[in-house]
Amino acid sequence: MLDKLDLDQKKLGERFYLICLGIYISVNFMSGTTFSKAYGLEAIVFFLRISQLTAILVLLKVFLFDKHRFKDLCLLGALLGLLFIICKQAHELDPFFITCFILAAFKVDYKKVLKVYIGTELALLLGVYFATLIRLVPNNIIWREGAGIVRAGLGLATPSDLAAHIFYLMLAYAVYRDFSFKKQELAYLGVISALVFAITNSRLDAILMVLLLLALLFKQTLFERLKALGTAWVTGIVIGYAFFDLLLTYFYTPTSPFYQTLDLLLSRRLFFGQMAFLNYPLRFLGQYIYQNGTGDPRGFEIYYFIDSAFVQALMMFGIIFFIGMLLLLSYLIKKSFKMSNYSLVVAILLIVFSMAINHHFWHISYNIIILATLAKLSAPVLEK
């Protein structure tokens, strides 16, 4: 009888978590669409309030359904308190909210998490696109500077956001399928990638999609190489890459032909990243850095945005947060290797690679891979 009650409690906690997850993914997604532009400050405040409420609710699973020791709960409370202070300093609460979902994902079936994410994302992408067709919200159409190319966001705040959503959705689906696809299915994914590039002209996300398709195509060879490298080498590569991006940005020289070409390919990400190093001190607990990611065609507002998740983590959230982020990635890599889940290892590597060029690591409507940190992973099904 007690075993049955315990099992029912676990199922109830898991269902409660998945409902909260679906709501928070939806709110996080909608806050990055043109709904906020169409309906103003009220929409932004509404999305924020729902985010706050859902984060508080999902923590109930940690305290009511998960069987943690009292001292562990105290430690989790202290961690959340410190993170909340850091996020308030930076005026950005997304890392705090997603950490609530990371902690509450304890022993939740990760396959179910992926299933909720994929279904929710697909419904939202189609729903927002339909809203643009009936002109309920604007379709953000812009020109790529210096190229005269039209780019469309199809209801997302920017075309780059649309491309990033598709990449992360494809990545989540690939992990859900354990990277097992037929060649015909890979061709379909290739067509989707080409269409997304034609609509958004997002070069960097197109590269990520191509890398994902290559990883799917050469899955077996890639997995064998990763197994040979092992946890220590892969972790070292990730940490080394993070510091390489920081150093590359810090030592950016606008007069260097090499840097000029690289910065042009990266859509001036090095230039904007270095401005953070030049204009703000390095702090332990973060600081507010004003950013304007859309600019103003009238010239009243100048575009400035830090796209690198590594530079954002260090300069906006501080040294402690940056170290914590690297520790989280290291733990997730170790856990994936322990479960022989090389699909997840590849996903982590692709996300880490993308972190130098986009800031979506702490946005749950993009990066669902991070929730695997404490979730229950199952060993991948071996192909016959």
Side-chain angles (χ1 to χ4, degrees):
M1 178 68 74
L2 291 176
D3 289 342
K4 186 178 180 180
L5 286 173
D6 184 53
L7 183 62
D8 289 341
Q9 188 178 29
K10 286 181 180 178
K11 285 184 177 180
L12 183 61
E14 185 177 74
R15 287 172 185 170
F16 178 74
Y17 176 84
L18 294 174
I19 291 170
C20 290
L21 178 64
I23 294 170
Y24 184 64
I25 289 172
S26 301
V27 173
N28 192 256
F29 180 98
M30 294 304 295
S31 64
T33 66
T34 54
F35 269 88
S36 57
K37 289 184 179 180
Y39 299 100
L41 182 61
E42 291 81 3
I44 297 172
V45 172
F46 174 76
F47 292 142
L48 176 61
R49 293 290 177 261
I50 298 297
S51 297
Q52 292 169 335
L53 177 62
T54 315
I56 292 171
L57 284 174
V58 83
L59 284 178
L60 292 176
K61 177 182 178 292
V62 177
F63 293 96
L64 297 180
F65 295 103
D66 298 337
K67 294 183 177 180
H68 295 297
R69 293 175 298 180
F70 179 73
K71 64 177 183 179
D72 293 332
L73 290 175
C74 291
L75 184 62
L76 292 177
L79 171 66
L80 287 172
L82 176 62
L83 183 59
F84 184 76
I85 293 170
I86 290 172
C87 290
K88 287 290 285 185
Q89 289 277 90
H91 293 198
E92 178 58 69
L93 289 172
D94 278 315
F96 176 79
F97 292 148
I98 200 171
T99 300
C100 293
F101 279 89
I102 291 172
L103 296 176
F106 181 67
K107 291 188 177 180
V108 174
D109 188 345
Y110 186 59
K111 286 281 188 178
K112 293 180 181 179
V113 170
L114 288 171
K115 196 172 181 178
V116 168
Y117 172 82
I118 292 166
T120 306
E121 281 283 305
L122 274 175
L124 289 168
L125 283 167
L126 293 172
V128 170
Y129 175 56
F130 178 73
T132 64
L133 291 178
I134 62 175
R135 298 186 179 181
L136 186 62
V137 297
N139 180 10
N140 193 7
I141 298 175
I142 62 177
W143 292 81
R144 181 175 286 282
E145 185 181 356
I149 298 173
V150 176
R151 310 171 67 212
L154 303 185
L156 276 297
T158 69
S160 297
D161 286 344
L162 173 60
H165 268 297
I166 301 298
F167 163 69
Y168 278 99
L169 182 58
M170 288 172 58
L171 185 62
Y173 185 58
V175 174
Y176 182 77
R177 293 276 300 269
D178 294 322
F179 271 46
S180 296
F181 289 86
K182 297 177 181 178
K183 289 185 178 180
Q184 186 179 12
E185 293 174 318
L186 291 179
Y188 292 149
L189 291 177
V191 170
I192 292 171
S193 302
L195 285 173
V196 171
F197 178 69
I199 294 168
T200 66
N201 196 249
S202 181
R203 298 185 298 253
L204 300 176
D205 288 294
I207 292 172
L208 290 170
M209 290 179 193
V210 169
L211 289 175
L212 174 58
L213 289 171
L214 289 173
L216 294 172
L217 186 61
F218 299 105
K219 166 192 171 180
Q220 205 59 43
T221 302
L222 182 59
F223 284 9
E224 289 173 2
R225 297 289 172 84
L226 287 172
K227 186 176 181 180
L229 279 174
T231 306
W233 271 101
V234 172
T235 303
I237 290 169
V238 166
I239 294 174
Y241 177 75
F243 280 99
F244 173 74
D245 179 60
L246 292 177
L247 292 172
L248 192 68
T249 306
Y250 182 80
F251 290 107
Y252 167 72
T253 307
T255 56
S256 164
F258 166 75
Y259 266 119
Q260 286 178 355
T261 303
L262 183 60
D263 197 34
L264 182 64
L265 291 172
L266 296 176
S267 302
R268 304 197 73 193
R269 281 168 167 78
L270 296 176
F271 170 77
F272 291 124
Q274 192 189 56
M275 286 180 66
F277 284 110
L278 295 177
N279 296 323
Y280 296 92
L282 192 59
R283 298 185 184 277
F284 278 99
L285 296 178
Q287 62 195 314
Y288 174 63
I289 298 178
Y290 173 76
Q291 296 177 77
N292 175 39
T294 56
D296 190 318
R298 298 168 297 176
F300 299 136
E301 291 284 348
I302 300 173
Y303 178 92
Y304 176 66
F305 197 83
I306 304 170
D307 278 292
S308 168
F310 296 121
V311 177
Q312 270 200 2
L314 183 62
M315 299 307 298
M316 283 181 60
F317 298 100
I319 297 171
I320 294 174
F321 182 91
F322 178 76
I323 293 172
M325 184 177 73
L326 294 182
L327 289 174
L328 184 148
L329 284 168
S330 301
Y331 174 80
L332 192 48
I333 291 168
K334 182 179 179 180
K335 180 179 180 180
S336 302
F337 268 101
K338 186 178 179 181
M339 295 297 298
S340 299
N341 197 321
Y342 299 109
S343 302
L344 196 56
V345 176
V346 175
I348 295 165
L349 288 174
L350 285 173
I351 287 174
V352 168
F353 176 69
S354 76
M355 288 171 72
I357 57 177
N358 75 50
H359 63 289
H360 296 305
F361 183 77
W362 296 103
H363 297 157
I364 206 168
S365 60
Y366 293 89
N367 180 18
I368 201 68
I369 302 302
I370 197 173
L371 295 188
T373 306
L374 294 179
K376 183 175 68 177
L377 292 180
S378 55
V381 179
L382 296 176
E383 295 181 353
K384 295 180 180 180

